[in-house]
Amino acid sequence: MMLVVRGVAKAMAHEQKIDAPLTWLSDLLASLPAERKALLVPPGVWLVILLALLVAGLLRYTRLGRHVFAVGSNEQTARLCGVNVPRLKLVVYTIGGVFFGLAGLMMFSRLTVGDPTAAVGLELDVIAAVVIGGGIISGGEGSVFGSLVGALIMSVIRSGCSQMGLDNWVQEVVTGAIIVAAVALDRLRHRRAG
């Protein structure tokens, strides 16, 4: 489905970026002007922090959160314990869709153009960030805070590669090696725990 939607987006954009008029979205992640330096970081960063706290609270203190971890850990057992797995998946995918839409707005704010190819390959970075942050690929473990730390580590690595002037292909090799190392460490950690 990802490829279908990506193909449709490219077709709608005639495989070109779309310049959009400047709106409040353009300021969401822009550098702060002098009169707003008291915010410390752009409003988009505060929005991410607020949403992260909201999701962390949802996962930790609600029945929905416990059910999400139960299904992630062992779907069949969760079903036997009375969790309505199809309904839970629908809710989780709906919430995920909302957050993907917000992520698209954040990317638009950073780039200030609509580009259907801007996020190509980021799905692997997300997986690496979650694993680096302590999540387990097979599911049932992880935290919002750990995922944010993993995302920050991935961003620092990508920024460092750019600052060092490494070619794009070298950056992709470095990122790929980090993903492979993170998955290997995850498997090793999972094997030791089991």
Side-chain angles (χ1 to χ4, degrees):
M1 194 62 200
M2 176 183 73
L3 294 175
V4 170
V5 173
R6 185 179 291 159
V8 169
K10 285 180 183 180
M12 289 173 64
H14 303 292
E15 297 193 42
Q16 296 183 12
K17 67 181 183 67
I18 298 170
D19 294 314
L22 295 177
T23 64
W24 62 272
L25 278 175
S26 304
D27 297 332
L28 205 54
L29 290 174
S31 297
L32 292 173
E35 66 271 6
R36 295 176 67 196
K37 288 290 183 188
L39 283 175
L40 300 177
V41 292
V45 175
W46 288 115
L47 178 63
V48 168
I49 291 169
L50 176 72
L51 291 173
L53 290 172
L54 179 76
V55 171
L58 178 89
L59 289 173
R60 187 174 189 117
Y61 299 112
T62 67
R63 183 170 21 154
L64 174 68
R66 287 189 295 277
H67 286 182
V68 167
F69 277 106
V71 169
S73 181
N74 189 326
E75 186 175 326
Q76 297 303 325
T77 303
R79 180 177 282 117
L80 291 173
C81 290
V83 176
N84 186 343
V85 175
R87 187 170 139 237
L88 179 70
K89 285 183 176 181
L90 179 66
V91 168
V92 168
Y93 286 130
T94 301
I95 292 170
V98 169
F99 280 105
F100 295 139
L102 288 171
L105 289 175
M106 293 288 197
M107 182 162 280
F108 171 79
S109 175
R110 197 185 86 203
L111 300 176
T112 66
V113 296
D115 186 355
T117 62
V120 172
L122 285 183
E123 53 277 349
L124 292 177
D125 287 359
V126 170
I127 293 168
V130 170
V131 172
I132 289 169
I136 291 184
I137 296 227
S138 57
E141 261 184 64
S143 70
V144 173
F145 178 74
S147 296
L148 285 175
V149 168
L152 287 172
I153 290 170
M154 290 299 293
S155 293
V156 166
I157 291 168
R158 191 173 294 279
S159 258
C161 288
S162 293
Q163 292 292 327
M164 291 174 57
L166 298 177
D167 291 331
N168 193 36
W169 69 269
V170 176
Q171 292 180 33
E172 289 180 10
V173 168
V174 168
T175 303
I178 290 167
I179 292 169
V180 169
V183 170
L185 286 172
D186 172 60
R187 291 290 182 206
L188 182 64
R189 183 176 59 192
H190 199 288
R191 216 175 269 146
R192 283 187 182 168

